[in-house]
Amino acid sequence: MSKYILALDQGTTSSRAIVFDKGGQIISVAQKEFTQIYPKAGWVEHDPMEIWATQIGVANEAIAKAGLTAQDIAAIGITNQRETTVVWDKTTGKPIYNAIVWQCRRTADICDDLRNRGYAEMIRNKTGLVVDAYFSGTKIKWILDNVEGAREKAERGELLFGNIDTWLIWNLTGGKVHVTDYSNASRTMLYNIYELKWDEEILEILNIPKSMLPEVKPSSCIYGYTTVDVIGGEIPIAGDAGDQQAALFGQGCYREGMAKNTYGTGCFMLMNTGEKPVRSKNGLLTTIAWGVDGKVEYALEGSIFIAGAVIQWLRDELRMIKSAAESEEYATAVEDSNGVYVVPAFVGMGAPYWDMYARGTIVGLTRGAKKEHIIRAALESMAYQTMDVLKAMEEDSGISLSALKVDGGAVANNFLMQFQSDILNVDVYRPKVIETTALGAAYLAGLAVGYWENKEEILNNWAVDRKFEPNMDEEKRAKLVKGWHKAVKRALDWEKEE
Ligand SMILES: Nc1ncnc2c1ncn2[C@@H]1O[C@H](COP(=O)(O)OP(=O)(O)O)[C@@H](O)[C@H]1O
Ligand SMILES: O=P(O)(O)OC[C@H](O)CO
């Protein structure tokens, strides 16, 4: 019987498991949303045990749905929401605090302190990152400083840190393996992406014992084997990458200058820069794309914190729509947004603004503003934010993009895709398989165990579903973009003024 690859895609709002075949086609999917915990304004947490329970639950469900057993799975690939931080007790395997999510702003003051002490430049030079509450480093420090007894335990070597990939691999292997891959390590703000090692100086400044940190490995290799009790067999875990890097891999962006944009909870544009790390002058991050085929490759990244999440907000908090998909009907029921702009800076703004104190705003309201206009403006905000990032990327790389490959849940929205193409004035390509994050993790795992021979074989699997071409005149585009930038100014620095 032919074998399959299982990808575990642990995202910000749901745990997903997908079984792929050799053609990169989806055989079965299982997905489960889990609890978002907001203990205070600007704070976001997840329960690591719930993450593990939902993830292993959907993994078993996806195998069963496909009519398979663990013996039919050639390898497992892991991909994860990045930066989200778990600290657990090495002996009991129990987390000592909830996972602090990438969106959480609680460590903004630790970041301000790092900047005031003049460390921002050094950190950027070593890690490729902007000092921001987004990354894991200050989240680990917060846990050690605020959970009773944590620092002493950490110093005695009794605690382990991991991003969600590490946490899942630890649990899948029955607490035997404590590893991560280059791409995830590069999001901690503790990893020197040029020398490929944990950075002693930054660890000392943040007062984090090195013994807590996982071993850093390539993104495609065998890390360990699942235990029979969790999934019914000893399956090699052979792929690991942060979800955005996995999507870049899944989209087949293997050559320098190739880029993709993923529209999930947030929106993340990554451009492959090959074996050269490119330093951004325009607020982008330099990050590790992956370690594959014995070499490490880099990417430029524009991170947008809120994208599809603004649609969830319309659904869950404002209760303007019943489902995310419904947003398209409302948006196309009107000609334009009637001058309304939504800036969804709910957790500050990422690239290229990097303002931890920005907050969401709706501007341009008149008596004629309808619900349809607000919904449309919310969708448009994803496209405008992407435009800001793409401009920065073009300036940094010197490459002018003539087309953009897209993926992620929100690309199902045809209105959004057309508006994106109009606002960027480039072609937008939506592939047949939009689950490219999971697909990338599957490819990484499959390559490690010889399921796929090489990247060339994988490239043959990529197929376009629909191409969106720009259809907006320059004058209109310029007017809309000008309005967006005026709106962003209103959102910036908001929390600081208080
Ligand atoms: N048709 C749609 N139109 C707009 N947004 C959508 C649509 N379908 C899903 N979304 C948004 O996409 C996101 C889910 O995408 P997904 O790739 O699963 O995200 P994640 O991996 O971050 O959990 C949600 O935030 C949801 O609001
Ligand atoms: O859960 P996603 O897909 O929005 O991805 C989250 C990112 O990895 C955060 O850096």
Side-chain angles (χ1 to χ4, degrees), residues 9-13 16 80-84 102 134 187 242-245 262-268 301 303 305 437:
D9 177 3
Q10 207 302 302
T12 310
T13 55
R16 215 167 331 184
N80 54 294
Q81 52 164 322
R82 306 165 305 166
E83 300 95 16
T84 298
W102 59 277
Y134 176 23
R187 315 297 298 183
D243 55 9
Q244 303 308 324
Q245 285 90 336
T262 302
Y263 302 69
T265 303
C267 201
F268 300 86
E301 170 174 326
S303 330
F305 295 153
T437 297

Side-chain angles (χ1 to χ4, degrees), residues 9-16 31 102 243-244 262-266 268 307-313 315 323-328 379 382 407-414 416 434-435 437:
D9 177 3
Q10 207 302 302
T12 310
T13 55
S14 72
S15 297
R16 215 167 331 184
Q31 178 168 1
W102 59 277
D243 55 9
Q244 303 308 324
T262 302
Y263 302 69
T265 303
F268 300 86
V310 70
I311 302 303
Q312 286 174 329
W313 173 72
R315 186 194 64 189
S323 68
E326 213 178 68
S327 63
E328 186 168 349
L379 284 169
M382 293 192 223
D407 54 64
V411 304
N413 192 308
N414 291 322
L416 169 63
I434 59 171
E435 296 282 0
T437 297

Side-chain angles (χ1 to χ4, degrees), residues 6 13 15 17 21 35 82 95 105 163 207 210 238 278 290-291 307 360 493 496:
L6 174 68
T13 55
S15 297
D21 68 8
T35 320
R82 306 165 305 166
R105 305 280 92 195
N163 292 125
N207 202 3
K210 200 172 165 190
V278 173
W290 45 68
D493 226 15
K496 263 240 160 106

Side-chain angles (χ1 to χ4, degrees), residues 160-176:
L160 297 178
F161 150 77
N163 292 125
I164 299 296
D165 61 321
T166 305
W167 172 241
L168 293 178
I169 295 174
W170 170 265
N171 282 292
L172 285 165
T173 58
K176 281 204 198 76

